[in-house]
Coordinates of all heavy atoms in Angstrom, one line a residue:
M1 N 84.5 -46.6 -78.4 CA 83.8 -47.1 -79.6 C 82.7 -48.2 -79.1 O 83.0 -49.0 -78.2 CB 84.8 -47.8 -80.5 CG 84.1 -48.6 -81.6 SD 85.2 -49.4 -82.8 CE 85.9 -47.9 -83.5
L2 N 81.6 -48.1 -79.7 CA 80.5 -49.0 -79.3 C 80.7 -50.3 -80.1 O 80.9 -50.2 -81.3 CB 79.2 -48.4 -79.7 CG 77.9 -49.1 -79.2 CD1 77.8 -49.2 -77.7 CD2 76.7 -48.3 -79.8
R3 N 80.6 -51.4 -79.5 CA 80.7 -52.7 -80.1 C 79.5 -53.5 -79.9 O 79.0 -53.6 -78.7 CB 82.0 -53.5 -79.7 CG 83.2 -52.6 -79.7 CD 84.4 -53.1 -80.5 NE 84.7 -54.5 -80.6 CZ 85.2 -55.1 -81.7 NH1 85.4 -54.3 -82.7 NH2 85.5 -56.3 -81.7
I4 N 78.9 -54.0 -80.9 CA 77.6 -54.7 -80.8 C 77.8 -56.2 -81.2 O 78.4 -56.4 -82.3 CB 76.5 -54.0 -81.7 CG1 76.3 -52.6 -81.2 CG2 75.2 -54.8 -81.7 CD1 75.5 -51.8 -82.2
H5 N 77.3 -57.1 -80.4 CA 77.4 -58.5 -80.7 C 76.2 -58.9 -81.5 O 75.1 -59.1 -81.0 CB 77.5 -59.3 -79.4 CG 77.7 -60.8 -79.7 ND1 76.8 -61.7 -80.0 CD2 78.9 -61.5 -79.8 CE1 77.3 -62.9 -80.3 NE2 78.6 -62.7 -80.2
C6 N 76.4 -59.0 -82.9 CA 75.3 -59.5 -83.7 C 75.1 -61.0 -83.5 O 76.1 -61.7 -83.5 CB 75.6 -59.2 -85.2 SG 74.4 -59.9 -86.3
P7 N 73.9 -61.5 -83.3 CA 73.7 -62.9 -83.0 C 74.2 -63.8 -84.2 O 74.5 -65.0 -84.0 CB 72.2 -63.1 -82.9 CG 71.7 -61.7 -82.5 CD 72.6 -60.7 -83.1
W8 N 74.3 -63.3 -85.4 CA 74.7 -64.1 -86.6 C 76.1 -63.8 -87.0 O 76.8 -64.7 -87.5 CB 73.8 -63.7 -87.8 CG 72.4 -64.2 -87.6 CD1 71.9 -65.4 -87.8 CD2 71.3 -63.4 -87.1 NE1 70.6 -65.5 -87.4 CE2 70.2 -64.3 -87.0 CE3 71.2 -62.1 -86.7 CZ2 68.9 -63.9 -86.5 CZ3 69.9 -61.7 -86.2 CH2 68.8 -62.5 -86.1
C9 N 76.6 -62.6 -86.8 CA 78.0 -62.3 -87.3 C 79.0 -62.1 -86.2 O 80.2 -62.1 -86.5 CB 77.9 -61.0 -88.0 SG 76.7 -60.9 -89.3
G10 N 78.6 -62.1 -84.9 CA 79.6 -61.9 -83.8 C 79.8 -60.4 -83.5 O 79.0 -59.6 -83.9
L11 N 80.9 -60.2 -82.7 CA 81.1 -58.8 -82.2 C 81.6 -57.9 -83.3 O 82.6 -58.3 -84.0 CB 82.2 -58.9 -81.1 CG 82.3 -57.7 -80.2 CD1 81.1 -57.3 -79.5 CD2 83.5 -57.9 -79.2
R12 N 81.0 -56.8 -83.5 CA 81.3 -55.9 -84.6 C 81.3 -54.4 -84.2 O 80.6 -54.1 -83.2 CB 80.3 -56.0 -85.8 CG 80.2 -57.4 -86.4 CD 81.4 -57.6 -87.3 NE 81.2 -58.7 -88.2 CZ 81.7 -59.9 -88.0 NH1 82.5 -60.1 -87.0 NH2 81.5 -60.8 -88.9
D13 N 82.0 -53.6 -84.9 CA 82.0 -52.1 -84.6 C 80.7 -51.5 -84.9 O 80.0 -52.0 -85.9 CB 83.1 -51.4 -85.4 CG 84.5 -51.8 -84.9 OD1 84.7 -52.3 -83.8 OD2 85.5 -51.6 -85.7
H14 N 80.3 -50.5 -84.2 CA 79.0 -49.9 -84.4 C 78.9 -49.3 -85.8 O 77.8 -49.0 -86.4 CB 78.7 -48.8 -83.4 CG 79.5 -47.5 -83.6 ND1 80.8 -47.4 -83.2 CD2 79.1 -46.4 -84.2 CE1 81.2 -46.2 -83.5 NE2 80.2 -45.6 -84.1
E15 N 80.1 -49.0 -86.5 CA 80.0 -48.4 -87.8 C 79.4 -49.3 -88.8 O 79.0 -48.9 -89.9 CB 81.5 -48.0 -88.2 CG 82.0 -46.9 -87.4 CD 83.5 -46.6 -87.6 OE1 84.1 -47.4 -88.4 OE2 84.0 -45.6 -87.1
E16 N 79.3 -50.6 -88.5 CA 78.6 -51.6 -89.4 C 77.1 -51.5 -89.3 O 76.4 -52.1 -90.1 CB 79.1 -53.0 -89.2 CG 80.6 -53.2 -89.5 CD 80.9 -54.7 -89.4 OE1 80.1 -55.6 -89.3 OE2 82.1 -55.0 -89.4
F17 N 76.6 -50.8 -88.4 CA 75.2 -50.8 -88.1 C 74.6 -49.4 -88.4 O 75.3 -48.4 -88.3 CB 74.9 -51.1 -86.6 CG 75.4 -52.5 -86.2 CD1 76.7 -52.7 -85.9 CD2 74.5 -53.5 -86.1 CE1 77.1 -54.0 -85.5 CE2 74.9 -54.8 -85.8 CZ 76.2 -55.0 -85.5
T18 N 73.3 -49.4 -88.6 CA 72.5 -48.2 -88.8 C 71.5 -48.1 -87.6 O 70.8 -49.1 -87.4 CB 71.8 -48.1 -90.1 OG1 72.7 -48.1 -91.1 CG2 70.9 -46.8 -90.2
L19 N 71.5 -47.0 -86.9 CA 70.6 -46.8 -85.8 C 69.3 -46.3 -86.4 O 69.3 -45.2 -87.1 CB 71.2 -45.8 -84.8 CG 70.3 -45.3 -83.7 CD1 69.9 -46.5 -82.8 CD2 71.0 -44.3 -82.9
W20 N 68.2 -46.9 -86.1 CA 66.9 -46.5 -86.6 C 66.0 -45.9 -85.6 O 64.8 -45.7 -85.8 CB 66.2 -47.7 -87.3 CG 66.8 -48.0 -88.6 CD1 67.8 -49.0 -88.8 CD2 66.6 -47.4 -89.8 NE1 68.2 -49.0 -90.1 CE2 67.4 -48.0 -90.8 CE3 65.8 -46.4 -90.2 CZ2 67.5 -47.6 -92.1 CZ3 65.8 -46.0 -91.6 CH2 66.6 -46.6 -92.5
G21 N 66.5 -45.8 -84.3 CA 65.6 -45.1 -83.3 C 65.1 -46.0 -82.3 O 65.4 -47.1 -82.2
E22 N 64.3 -45.3 -81.4 CA 63.8 -46.0 -80.2 C 62.9 -47.2 -80.6 O 62.1 -47.2 -81.4 CB 62.9 -45.0 -79.5 CG 63.5 -43.7 -79.1 CD 62.5 -42.7 -78.7 OE1 61.6 -43.1 -77.9 OE2 62.6 -41.6 -79.1
A23 N 63.2 -48.3 -79.8 CA 62.4 -49.5 -80.1 C 61.2 -49.6 -79.2 O 60.3 -50.4 -79.4 CB 63.3 -50.8 -79.8
T24 N 61.0 -48.6 -78.3 CA 59.9 -48.6 -77.4 C 58.9 -47.6 -77.8 O 57.8 -47.4 -77.2 CB 60.3 -48.3 -76.0 OG1 61.1 -47.0 -76.0 CG2 61.2 -49.4 -75.4
R25 N 59.1 -47.0 -78.9 CA 58.2 -45.9 -79.4 C 57.0 -46.4 -80.1 O 57.1 -47.4 -80.9 CB 59.0 -45.0 -80.4 CG 58.3 -43.8 -80.7 CD 59.4 -42.9 -81.5 NE 58.7 -41.8 -82.0 CZ 59.3 -41.1 -82.9 NH1 60.5 -41.3 -83.4 NH2 58.7 -40.0 -83.4
H26 N 55.8 -45.8 -79.8 CA 54.6 -46.2 -80.5 C 54.0 -45.0 -81.2 O 53.8 -44.0 -80.6 CB 53.6 -46.8 -79.4 CG 54.1 -48.0 -78.7 ND1 54.2 -49.2 -79.3 CD2 54.7 -48.2 -77.5 CE1 54.8 -50.1 -78.5 NE2 55.1 -49.5 -77.4
F27 N 53.6 -45.2 -82.4 CA 53.0 -44.1 -83.2 C 51.5 -44.2 -83.0 O 50.9 -45.3 -82.9 CB 53.4 -44.2 -84.6 CG 54.8 -43.9 -84.9 CD1 55.8 -44.9 -85.1 CD2 55.3 -42.6 -84.8 CE1 57.1 -44.6 -85.3 CE2 56.6 -42.3 -85.0 CZ 57.5 -43.3 -85.2
P28 N 50.8 -43.1 -83.2 CA 49.3 -43.1 -83.1 C 48.8 -43.7 -84.4 O 49.5 -43.9 -85.4 CB 49.0 -41.6 -83.0 CG 50.1 -40.9 -83.5 CD 51.3 -41.7 -83.3
A29 N 47.5 -44.0 -84.4 CA 46.8 -44.5 -85.6 C 46.9 -43.5 -86.7 O 47.1 -42.3 -86.5 CB 45.4 -44.8 -85.3
L30 N 46.9 -44.0 -87.9 CA 47.0 -43.1 -89.1 C 46.0 -42.0 -89.1 O 46.3 -40.9 -89.6 CB 47.0 -43.9 -90.4 CG 48.2 -44.8 -90.7 CD1 47.9 -45.6 -91.9 CD2 49.4 -44.0 -90.8
D31 N 44.8 -42.3 -88.6 CA 43.7 -41.3 -88.6 C 43.7 -40.5 -87.3 O 42.7 -39.8 -87.1 CB 42.4 -41.9 -89.0 CG 42.0 -43.0 -88.0 OD1 42.9 -43.4 -87.1 OD2 40.9 -43.5 -88.0
A32 N 44.7 -40.6 -86.5 CA 44.7 -39.8 -85.2 C 44.8 -38.3 -85.5 O 45.3 -37.9 -86.6 CB 45.9 -40.3 -84.4
P33 N 44.3 -37.5 -84.6 CA 44.4 -36.0 -84.8 C 45.8 -35.6 -85.0 O 46.8 -36.1 -84.5 CB 43.8 -35.5 -83.4 CG 43.1 -36.6 -82.8 CD 43.7 -37.9 -83.3
H34 N 45.9 -34.5 -85.8 CA 47.2 -33.9 -86.1 C 48.1 -33.6 -84.8 O 49.3 -33.9 -84.8 CB 47.0 -32.6 -86.9 CG 48.3 -31.9 -87.3 ND1 49.1 -32.4 -88.3 CD2 48.9 -30.8 -86.8 CE1 50.2 -31.6 -88.4 NE2 50.1 -30.7 -87.5
A35 N 47.4 -33.1 -83.8 CA 48.1 -32.7 -82.6 C 48.8 -33.9 -81.9 O 49.9 -33.9 -81.4 CB 47.2 -32.0 -81.6
Q36 N 48.1 -35.1 -82.1 CA 48.7 -36.3 -81.5 C 49.9 -36.7 -82.3 O 50.9 -37.2 -81.7 CB 47.6 -37.4 -81.5 CG 47.9 -38.6 -80.6 CD 46.8 -39.6 -80.6 OE1 45.6 -39.2 -80.9 NE2 47.0 -40.7 -80.1
W37 N 49.9 -36.6 -83.6 CA 51.1 -36.9 -84.4 C 52.2 -35.9 -84.1 O 53.4 -36.4 -84.0 CB 50.7 -36.9 -85.9 CG 50.2 -38.2 -86.4 CD1 48.9 -38.6 -86.5 CD2 51.0 -39.3 -86.7 NE1 48.9 -39.9 -86.9 CE2 50.2 -40.4 -87.0 CE3 52.4 -39.6 -86.6 CZ2 50.6 -41.6 -87.4 CZ3 52.9 -40.8 -87.0 CH2 52.0 -41.8 -87.4
V38 N 51.9 -34.7 -84.0 CA 53.0 -33.7 -83.6 C 53.6 -34.1 -82.3 O 54.8 -34.0 -82.2 CB 52.4 -32.3 -83.6 CG1 53.4 -31.3 -83.0 CG2 52.0 -31.8 -85.0
Q39 N 52.8 -34.4 -81.3 CA 53.3 -34.8 -80.0 C 54.2 -36.0 -80.2 O 55.3 -36.1 -79.6 CB 52.1 -35.1 -79.1 CG 52.5 -35.5 -77.7 CD 53.0 -34.3 -76.9 OE1 52.8 -33.1 -77.2 NE2 53.7 -34.6 -75.8
S40 N 53.8 -37.0 -81.0 CA 54.5 -38.2 -81.1 C 55.9 -38.0 -81.8 O 56.9 -38.6 -81.5 CB 53.7 -39.2 -81.9 OG 54.4 -40.4 -82.1
V41 N 55.9 -37.1 -82.8 CA 57.1 -36.9 -83.6 C 58.1 -36.0 -82.9 O 59.3 -36.2 -82.9 CB 56.7 -36.4 -85.0 CG1 58.0 -36.0 -85.8 CG2 55.9 -37.5 -85.8
Y42 N 57.6 -34.9 -82.3 CA 58.5 -33.8 -81.9 C 58.6 -33.8 -80.3 O 59.6 -33.2 -79.9 CB 58.0 -32.5 -82.4 CG 58.0 -32.4 -83.9 CD1 56.9 -32.4 -84.6 CD2 59.3 -32.3 -84.5 CE1 57.0 -32.3 -86.0 CE2 59.3 -32.3 -85.9 CZ 58.2 -32.3 -86.6 OH 58.2 -32.2 -88.0
A43 N 57.8 -34.3 -79.6 CA 57.8 -34.2 -78.1 C 58.1 -35.6 -77.5 O 57.4 -36.0 -76.7 CB 56.5 -33.6 -77.6
R44 N 59.2 -36.1 -77.9 CA 59.6 -37.5 -77.5 C 60.4 -37.4 -76.2 O 61.1 -36.4 -75.9 CB 60.4 -38.2 -78.5 CG 59.6 -38.4 -79.8 CD 60.5 -39.1 -80.8 NE 61.6 -38.1 -81.1 CZ 62.5 -38.4 -82.0 NH1 62.5 -39.5 -82.6 NH2 63.4 -37.5 -82.2
P45 N 60.3 -38.4 -75.4 CA 61.1 -38.4 -74.2 C 62.6 -38.6 -74.5 O 62.9 -39.2 -75.6 CB 60.6 -39.7 -73.4 CG 59.9 -40.5 -74.4 CD 59.4 -39.6 -75.5
N46 N 63.4 -38.2 -73.7 CA 64.9 -38.3 -73.9 C 65.5 -38.9 -72.6 O 66.1 -38.2 -71.9 CB 65.5 -36.9 -74.2 CG 66.9 -37.0 -74.7 OD1 67.4 -38.1 -75.0 ND2 67.6 -35.9 -74.6
P47 N 65.3 -40.2 -72.4 CA 65.7 -40.8 -71.2 C 67.2 -40.9 -71.0 O 67.9 -41.0 -72.0 CB 65.0 -42.2 -71.2 CG 65.0 -42.5 -72.7 CD 64.7 -41.2 -73.4
R48 N 67.6 -40.9 -69.8 CA 69.0 -41.1 -69.4 C 69.1 -42.5 -68.8 O 68.3 -42.9 -68.0 CB 69.5 -40.1 -68.4 CG 69.5 -38.7 -68.9 CD 69.7 -37.7 -67.7 NE 70.8 -38.1 -66.8 CZ 71.9 -37.5 -66.7 NH1 72.1 -36.4 -67.4 NH2 72.9 -37.9 -65.9
G49 N 70.1 -43.3 -69.3 CA 70.3 -44.6 -68.7 C 69.9 -45.6 -69.8 O 70.3 -45.5 -70.9
E50 N 69.2 -46.7 -69.4 CA 69.0 -47.8 -70.3 C 67.9 -47.4 -71.3 O 66.9 -46.9 -71.0 CB 68.5 -49.0 -69.5 CG 68.3 -50.2 -70.3 CD 67.9 -51.5 -69.6 OE1 68.1 -51.5 -68.4 OE2 67.4 -52.4 -70.2
T51 N 68.3 -47.7 -72.6 CA 67.4 -47.5 -73.7 C 67.3 -48.7 -74.5 O 68.2 -49.6 -74.5 CB 67.9 -46.3 -74.6 OG1 69.1 -46.6 -75.1 CG2 67.9 -45.0 -73.8
Q52 N 66.3 -48.8 -75.4 CA 66.2 -49.9 -76.3 C 66.0 -49.2 -77.7 O 65.2 -48.4 -77.9 CB 65.0 -50.8 -76.1 CG 65.1 -51.6 -74.8 CD 64.0 -52.6 -74.6 OE1 62.9 -52.4 -75.1 NE2 64.3 -53.7 -73.9
E53 N 66.9 -49.6 -78.6 CA 66.9 -49.0 -80.0 C 67.0 -50.1 -81.0 O 67.6 -51.1 -80.9 CB 68.1 -48.1 -80.1 CG 68.1 -47.0 -79.1 CD 69.5 -46.3 -78.9 OE1 70.5 -47.1 -78.8 OE2 69.5 -45.1 -78.8
F54 N 66.4 -49.7 -82.2 CA 66.5 -50.6 -83.4 C 67.9 -50.3 -84.1 O 68.2 -49.1 -84.3 CB 65.4 -50.3 -84.4 CG 64.1 -50.9 -83.9 CD1 63.0 -50.1 -83.7 CD2 63.9 -52.3 -83.8 CE1 61.8 -50.6 -83.3 CE2 62.7 -52.8 -83.5 CZ 61.6 -51.9 -83.2
F55 N 68.6 -51.3 -84.4 CA 69.8 -51.2 -85.2 C 69.7 -52.2 -86.4 O 69.1 -53.3 -86.2 CB 71.1 -51.6 -84.4 CG 71.6 -50.5 -83.5 CD1 71.1 -50.3 -82.3 CD2 72.7 -49.7 -83.9 CE1 71.6 -49.3 -81.4 CE2 73.2 -48.8 -83.1 CZ 72.6 -48.6 -81.9
Q56 N 70.2 -51.9 -87.5 CA 70.2 -52.8 -88.6 C 71.7 -53.0 -89.0 O 72.5 -52.1 -89.1 CB 69.5 -52.3 -89.9 CG 69.5 -53.3 -91.0 CD 68.9 -52.8 -92.3 OE1 68.7 -51.6 -92.4 NE2 68.5 -53.7 -93.1
H57 N 72.1 -54.3 -89.1 CA 73.5 -54.6 -89.4 C 73.6 -54.5 -90.9 O 73.8 -55.5 -91.6 CB 73.8 -56.0 -88.9 CG 75.3 -56.3 -88.9 ND1 75.8 -57.5 -88.6 CD2 76.3 -55.5 -89.1 CE1 77.1 -57.5 -88.7 NE2 77.4 -56.2 -89.0
N58 N 73.7 -53.3 -91.4 CA 73.6 -53.1 -92.9 C 74.9 -53.4 -93.6 O 74.9 -53.6 -94.8 CB 73.1 -51.7 -93.2 CG 74.0 -50.6 -92.6 OD1 74.6 -50.9 -91.6 ND2 74.0 -49.5 -93.2
L59 N 76.1 -53.5 -92.9 CA 77.3 -53.9 -93.5 C 77.7 -55.3 -93.1 O 78.8 -55.8 -93.3 CB 78.5 -53.0 -93.1 CG 78.3 -51.5 -93.6 CD1 79.6 -50.7 -93.2 CD2 78.1 -51.5 -95.1
G60 N 76.7 -56.1 -92.7 CA 76.9 -57.5 -92.4 C 75.7 -58.3 -92.9 O 75.4 -58.3 -94.1
C61 N 74.9 -58.9 -92.0 CA 73.8 -59.8 -92.4 C 72.6 -59.0 -92.8 O 71.6 -59.6 -93.3 CB 73.5 -60.7 -91.2 SG 73.0 -59.9 -89.7
R62 N 72.5 -57.7 -92.5 CA 71.4 -56.8 -92.8 C 70.2 -57.1 -92.0 O 69.1 -56.6 -92.2 CB 71.0 -56.8 -94.3 CG 72.2 -56.5 -95.2 CD 71.8 -56.2 -96.6 NE 70.8 -55.2 -96.8 CZ 71.0 -53.9 -96.8 NH1 72.2 -53.4 -96.6 NH2 70.0 -53.1 -97.0
R63 N 70.3 -57.9 -90.9 CA 69.2 -58.1 -90.0 C 69.0 -57.0 -89.0 O 69.9 -56.2 -88.7 CB 69.4 -59.5 -89.3 CG 69.5 -60.6 -90.3 CD 69.5 -61.9 -89.6 NE 69.8 -63.0 -90.5 CZ 69.4 -64.2 -90.4 NH1 68.6 -64.5 -89.4 NH2 69.7 -65.1 -91.3
W64 N 67.7 -57.0 -88.5 CA 67.3 -56.0 -87.5 C 67.5 -56.5 -86.1 O 67.1 -57.7 -85.9 CB 65.9 -55.6 -87.8 CG 65.7 -54.7 -89.0 CD1 65.8 -55.1 -90.3 CD2 65.4 -53.3 -89.0 NE1 65.6 -54.0 -91.1 CE2 65.4 -52.9 -90.3 CE3 65.2 -52.3 -88.0 CZ2 65.1 -51.6 -90.7 CZ3 65.0 -51.0 -88.4 CH2 64.9 -50.7 -89.7
L65 N 68.0 -55.7 -85.3 CA 68.2 -56.0 -83.9 C 67.6 -55.0 -82.9 O 67.4 -53.9 -83.3 CB 69.7 -56.1 -83.6 CG 70.6 -56.9 -84.6 CD1 72.1 -56.6 -84.3 CD2 70.3 -58.3 -84.5
V66 N 67.3 -55.4 -81.7 CA 66.9 -54.5 -80.7 C 68.1 -54.5 -79.7 O 68.4 -55.6 -79.1 CB 65.6 -54.9 -80.0 CG1 65.4 -54.0 -78.8 CG2 64.5 -54.8 -81.0
V67 N 68.8 -53.4 -79.5 CA 69.9 -53.3 -78.7 C 69.5 -52.5 -77.4 O 69.0 -51.4 -77.5 CB 71.1 -52.6 -79.4 CG1 72.3 -52.4 -78.4 CG2 71.5 -53.4 -80.6
S68 N 69.7 -53.1 -76.3 CA 69.5 -52.4 -75.0 C 70.9 -51.9 -74.6 O 71.8 -52.7 -74.5 CB 68.9 -53.3 -73.9 OG 67.7 -53.7 -74.3
R69 N 71.0 -50.6 -74.3 CA 72.2 -50.1 -73.9 C 72.0 -48.9 -72.9 O 70.9 -48.3 -72.9 CB 73.1 -49.6 -75.1 CG 72.5 -48.4 -75.8 CD 73.4 -48.0 -77.0 NE 72.9 -46.9 -77.6 CZ 73.3 -45.6 -77.4 NH1 74.3 -45.4 -76.6 NH2 72.8 -44.6 -78.1
N70 N 73.1 -48.6 -72.2 CA 73.1 -47.5 -71.3 C 73.6 -46.3 -72.1 O 74.7 -46.3 -72.5 CB 73.9 -47.7 -70.1 CG 73.8 -46.6 -69.1 OD1 73.9 -45.5 -69.4 ND2 73.7 -47.0 -67.8
N71 N 72.8 -45.3 -72.3 CA 73.2 -44.2 -73.2 C 74.1 -43.2 -72.5 O 74.6 -42.2 -73.1 CB 72.0 -43.4 -73.8 CG 71.1 -42.8 -72.8 OD1 71.4 -42.7 -71.6 ND2 70.0 -42.3 -73.3
L72 N 74.4 -43.4 -71.2 CA 75.4 -42.6 -70.5 C 76.8 -43.2 -70.5 O 77.8 -42.6 -70.7 CB 75.0 -42.4 -69.0 CG 73.7 -41.7 -68.8 CD1 73.3 -41.7 -67.3 CD2 73.8 -40.3 -69.3
T73 N 76.8 -44.6 -70.4 CA 78.1 -45.3 -70.4 C 78.4 -46.0 -71.8 O 79.5 -46.4 -72.0 CB 78.1 -46.3 -69.3 OG1 77.1 -47.3 -69.6 CG2 77.9 -45.7 -68.0
H74 N 77.4 -46.1 -72.6 CA 77.4 -46.8 -73.9 C 77.6 -48.3 -73.7 O 78.0 -49.0 -74.6 CB 78.5 -46.3 -74.8 CG 78.2 -44.8 -75.2 ND1 77.2 -44.5 -75.9 CD2 78.9 -43.7 -74.8 CE1 77.1 -43.2 -76.1 NE2 78.2 -42.7 -75.4
E75 N 77.4 -48.8 -72.5 CA 77.5 -50.3 -72.3 C 76.3 -51.0 -72.9 O 75.2 -50.6 -72.7 CB 77.5 -50.6 -70.8 CG 77.5 -52.1 -70.4 CD 77.3 -52.4 -69.0 OE1 77.0 -51.4 -68.2 OE2 77.4 -53.5 -68.6
V76 N 76.6 -52.0 -73.7 CA 75.6 -52.8 -74.4 C 75.1 -53.8 -73.4 O 75.9 -54.6 -72.9 CB 76.1 -53.4 -75.7 CG1 75.0 -54.3 -76.3 CG2 76.4 -52.3 -76.7
L77 N 73.8 -53.8 -73.1 CA 73.3 -54.7 -72.0 C 72.7 -56.0 -72.6 O 72.8 -57.0 -72.0 CB 72.2 -54.0 -71.3 CG 72.6 -52.6 -70.6 CD1 71.4 -51.8 -70.1 CD2 73.7 -52.9 -69.6
S78 N 72.1 -55.9 -73.8 CA 71.6 -57.1 -74.5 C 71.3 -56.8 -76.0 O 71.2 -55.6 -76.3 CB 70.3 -57.6 -73.8 OG 69.2 -56.7 -74.0
V79 N 71.3 -57.8 -76.8 CA 71.0 -57.7 -78.2 C 70.1 -58.9 -78.5 O 70.5 -60.0 -78.2 CB 72.3 -57.8 -79.1 CG1 72.0 -57.7 -80.5 CG2 73.3 -56.7 -78.7
V80 N 69.0 -58.6 -79.1 CA 68.1 -59.6 -79.5 C 67.6 -59.4 -80.9 O 67.5 -58.2 -81.3 CB 66.8 -59.8 -78.6 CG1 67.2 -60.2 -77.2 CG2 66.0 -58.5 -78.6
P81 N 67.4 -60.4 -81.7 CA 66.8 -60.2 -83.0 C 65.4 -59.5 -82.9 O 64.6 -59.8 -82.0 CB 66.6 -61.6 -83.6 CG 67.6 -62.4 -82.8 CD 67.6 -61.8 -81.5
A82 N 65.2 -58.5 -83.8 CA 64.0 -57.7 -83.7 C 62.7 -58.6 -83.8 O 61.7 -58.4 -83.1 CB 64.0 -56.6 -84.7
H83 N 62.8 -59.6 -84.7 CA 61.6 -60.5 -84.9 C 61.3 -61.3 -83.6 O 60.1 -61.6 -83.3 CB 61.7 -61.4 -86.1 CG 62.8 -62.4 -86.0 ND1 64.1 -62.2 -86.2 CD2 62.7 -63.7 -85.6 CE1 64.8 -63.3 -86.0 NE2 63.9 -64.2 -85.6
E84 N 62.3 -61.6 -82.8 CA 62.0 -62.4 -81.6 C 61.4 -61.5 -80.6 O 60.5 -61.9 -79.8 CB 63.3 -63.0 -81.0 CG 63.8 -64.1 -81.9 CD 65.1 -64.7 -81.3 OE1 65.4 -64.4 -80.1 OE2 65.7 -65.6 -82.0
R85 N 61.8 -60.2 -80.5 CA 61.2 -59.3 -79.6 C 59.7 -59.0 -80.0 O 58.9 -59.0 -79.1 CB 62.0 -58.0 -79.6 CG 61.4 -56.9 -78.7 CD 62.2 -55.6 -78.9 NE 61.5 -54.6 -78.2 CZ 60.6 -53.8 -78.7 NH1 60.2 -53.9 -79.9 NH2 60.1 -52.8 -78.0
S86 N 59.4 -58.9 -81.3 CA 58.1 -58.7 -81.7 C 57.2 -59.9 -81.4 O 56.1 -59.7 -80.9 CB 58.0 -58.4 -83.2 OG 58.8 -57.3 -83.5
A87 N 57.7 -61.1 -81.6 CA 56.9 -62.3 -81.2 C 56.6 -62.4 -79.8 O 55.6 -62.7 -79.3 CB 57.7 -63.5 -81.7
A88 N 57.6 -62.0 -78.9 CA 57.4 -62.0 -77.5 C 56.3 -61.0 -77.1 O 55.5 -61.3 -76.2 CB 58.7 -61.7 -76.8
K89 N 56.3 -59.8 -77.7 CA 55.3 -58.8 -77.4 C 53.9 -59.4 -77.8 O 52.9 -59.2 -77.0 CB 55.6 -57.5 -78.2 CG 56.6 -56.7 -77.5 CD 56.9 -55.4 -78.3 CE 55.7 -54.5 -78.2 NZ 55.9 -53.2 -78.9
E90 N 53.8 -60.1 -78.9 CA 52.5 -60.6 -79.4 C 52.0 -61.7 -78.4 O 50.8 -61.8 -78.2 CB 52.6 -61.1 -80.8 CG 52.8 -59.9 -81.8 CD 53.0 -60.4 -83.2 OE1 53.0 -61.6 -83.4 OE2 53.4 -59.6 -84.0
D91 N 52.9 -62.5 -77.9 CA 52.5 -63.5 -77.0 C 51.9 -62.9 -75.7 O 51.0 -63.6 -75.1 CB 53.7 -64.4 -76.6 CG 54.2 -65.3 -77.7 OD1 53.5 -65.4 -78.7 OD2 55.3 -65.8 -77.6
R92 N 52.4 -61.8 -75.3 CA 51.9 -61.2 -74.1 C 50.5 -60.5 -74.3 O 49.8 -60.3 -73.4 CB 52.8 -60.1 -73.5 CG 54.0 -60.8 -72.8 CD 54.9 -59.8 -72.3 NE 55.9 -59.5 -73.4 CZ 56.5 -58.3 -73.5 NH1 56.3 -57.3 -72.7 NH2 57.3 -58.1 -74.5
A93 N 50.2 -60.1 -75.6 CA 49.0 -59.4 -75.8 C 47.7 -60.3 -75.7 O 47.8 -61.5 -75.7 CB 49.0 -58.8 -77.2
Ligands
LIG1 ZN1 75.0 -59.4 -88.5

């Protein structure tokens, strides 16, 4: 069983969370060519090992998190609030 440490609620079972997908994924601009959108939606990488994914603690505080985990061992490597991750990315830009 996957257990995720929510920064606000503490250690919780993964059943309290909703997985919303890859946190490293970037979509093309809205007016990008159709082929680029098809590539982005259907031809995604499927990495083995460390991944970063968005989770929402929907049966708890309802906040969004970025969870880094190893998708082979299910070891949770880190959990950060999604807004802090976004702010850090903007600082680097
Ligand atoms: Zn929570």
Side-chain angles (χ1 to χ4, degrees):
M1 173 180 292
L2 187 64
R3 308 237 325 147
I4 298 171
H5 188 274
C6 174
W8 292 276
C9 306
L11 194 61
R12 298 286 197 257
D13 291 343
H14 75 279
E15 294 172 350
E16 293 188 11
F17 296 83
T18 299
L19 172 62
W20 286 97
E22 303 164 46
T24 55
R25 190 168 170 194
H26 300 284
F27 291 103
L30 289 176
D31 59 350
H34 179 75
Q36 194 173 347
W37 271 99
V38 169
Q39 182 74 16
S40 175
V41 172
Y42 296 108
R44 296 176 299 180
N46 189 18
R48 295 168 48 111
E50 185 175 343
T51 61
Q52 291 186 333
E53 299 162 317
F54 285 115
F55 281 82
Q56 184 184 18
H57 194 187
N58 59 333
L59 294 183
C61 61
R62 303 191 56 82
R63 295 188 190 209
W64 285 72
L65 310 170
V66 174
V67 177
S68 296
R69 69 179 180 99
N70 185 313
N71 63 9
L72 298 174
T73 64
H74 299 293
E75 177 187 8
V76 175
L77 305 170
S78 68
V79 179
V80 296
H83 68 276
E84 289 182 12
R85 179 183 172 271
S86 297
K89 281 181 68 176
E90 290 172 9
D91 288 346
R92 282 181 273 152

